[in-house]
């Protein structure tokens, strides 16, 4: 939305509570790239901004933040995250904690009830961690698996989570789910607008971000699914194919 508004000639300011853009989903190197990209296209960022009030008489006219700063505004768009609407499921006796708990086929704690989409919490196929994913690709994949389970069909292996966004004409595509403690390896030159970032967890490929290029995306999905162990030195070389950075089996 910020990019679209700036492209229309609007004066755009993003008040971000965190210390960088997209901090929940990507690494600092990718955040820095997109912050600079948006900045070159007229978007202004204020980080660490906690909004305390939206003021105005008949409409929003200004935003006040915790440090006392006042930001004039004609239009306010609030993006404040998602809280799972699990009240009905909880009242029905289903297991819930920051989402409705389901297994890999969308089955809840009640064997007669299925749930899919952003409201569900389930175990990651990558490392077994409990997770809740807010994206259309995951919702569609869960729906397919739930339908297959209900009809007795073979749903096959679960798909590795993947996401995408296009900002200022640059495509970011992600496979897997990054954790803050992952080892981060940048492949390529961000200054050129085409690079990848791979994330290793206990030596295995857990996620990848591809920016402006999809070269690493498809092979990374397969390597993540196979929990491939990656040589960090080879992975850091953009001239080495990601598949050639895999440690040979002992």
């Amino acid at each position: 939305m910020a990019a679209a508004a700036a492209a229309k000639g609007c004066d755009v300011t993003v008040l971000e509570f965190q210390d960088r853009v997209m901090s929940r989903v990507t690494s600092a190197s990718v955040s820095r790239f997109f912050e600079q990209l948006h900045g070159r296209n007229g978007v202004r960022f204020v980080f660490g901004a906690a909004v305390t009030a939206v003021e105005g008489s008949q409409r929003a006219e200004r935003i006040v933040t915790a440090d006392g700063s006042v930001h004039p505004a004609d239009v306010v768009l609030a993006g404040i995250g998602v809280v799972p609407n699990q009240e009905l499921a909880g009242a029905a006796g289903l297991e819930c904690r920051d989402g409705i708990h389901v297994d890999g086929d969308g089955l809840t704690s009640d064997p007669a009830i299925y749930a899919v989409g952003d409201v569900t919490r389930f175990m990651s196929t990558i490392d077994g961690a409990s997770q809740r994913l807010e994206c259309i690709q995951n919702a569609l994949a869960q729906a397919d698996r739930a339908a297959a389970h209900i009809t007795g069909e073979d749903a096959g292996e679960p798909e590795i989570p993947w996401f995408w966004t296009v900002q200022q004409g640059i495509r970011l595509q992600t496979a897997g789910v990054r954790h803050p403690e992952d080892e981060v390896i940048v492949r390529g030159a961000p200054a050129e607008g085409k690079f990848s970032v791979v994330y290793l967890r206990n030596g295995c490929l857990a996620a990848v971000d591809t920016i402006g290029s999809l070269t690493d995306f498809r092979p990374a999905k397969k390597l993540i699914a196979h929990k491939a162990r990656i040589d960090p030195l080879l992975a850091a070389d953009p001239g080495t194919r990601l598949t050639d950075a895999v440690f040979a089996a002992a």
Side-chain angles (χ1 to χ4, degrees):
M1 291 299 296
K8 293 293 185 180
C10 298
D11 183 8
V12 180
T13 298
V14 176
L15 303 179
E16 171 58 60
F17 181 71
Q18 302 296 333
D19 60 356
R20 57 185 176 88
V21 299
M22 300 188 292
S23 62
R24 288 178 55 203
V25 297
T26 195
S27 62
S29 55
V30 177
S31 292
R32 185 164 50 251
F33 172 83
F34 279 100
E35 178 191 344
Q36 293 171 350
L37 176 66
H38 285 293
R40 291 194 298 270
N41 287 275
V43 178
R44 173 176 171 261
F45 291 95
V46 179
F47 295 107
V51 175
T52 56
V54 178
E55 299 178 342
S57 53
Q58 300 299 316
R59 60 172 181 81
E61 297 176 348
R62 56 193 167 274
I63 297 175
V64 182
T65 53
D67 63 357
S69 298
V70 178
H71 303 269
D74 295 309
V75 176
V76 175
L77 175 64
I80 54 177
V82 174
V83 175
N85 186 1
Q86 62 188 34
E87 289 78 12
L88 179 61
L94 303 184
E95 183 181 356
C96 300
R97 188 172 62 255
D98 187 33
I100 304 170
H101 286 226
V102 298
D103 66 10
D105 295 310
L107 196 60
T108 68
S109 55
D110 184 322
I113 301 176
Y114 292 78
V116 301
D118 295 3
V119 75
T120 61
R121 176 167 288 278
F122 54 95
M123 304 298 285
S124 166
T125 57
I126 300 172
D127 60 6
S130 176
Q131 63 182 4
R132 188 166 59 80
L133 300 180
E134 300 163 10
C135 69
I136 188 171
Q137 288 84 5
N138 176 67
L140 293 174
Q142 282 187 309
D144 285 343
R145 294 193 66 83
H149 193 261
I150 291 169
T151 57
E153 299 178 7
D154 181 9
E157 292 297 319
E159 185 177 28
I160 294 298
W162 64 281
F163 323 87
W164 66 273
T165 178
V166 177
Q167 301 183 27
Q168 303 288 1
I170 301 294
R171 186 181 185 93
L172 164 64
Q173 195 144 314
T174 298
V177 178
R178 159 195 168 270
H179 287 183
E181 64 273 14
D182 290 343
E183 180 180 357
V184 179
I185 300 172
V186 178
R187 290 168 52 82
E192 297 176 2
K194 291 184 178 182
F195 66 104
S196 298
V197 180
V198 299
Y199 303 92
L200 304 185
R201 191 173 309 148
N202 299 320
C204 298
L205 184 61
V208 64
D209 290 328
T210 60
I211 298 88
S213 172
L214 295 178
T215 302
D216 287 336
F217 182 75
R218 290 185 183 276
K221 284 185 70 176
K222 295 180 180 179
L223 294 175
I224 293 168
H226 288 91
K227 298 179 173 60
R229 293 187 60 81
I230 300 295
D231 184 327
L233 294 178
L234 290 177
D237 177 11
T240 299
R241 293 185 304 177
L242 199 54
T243 50
D244 291 335
V246 177
F247 278 118

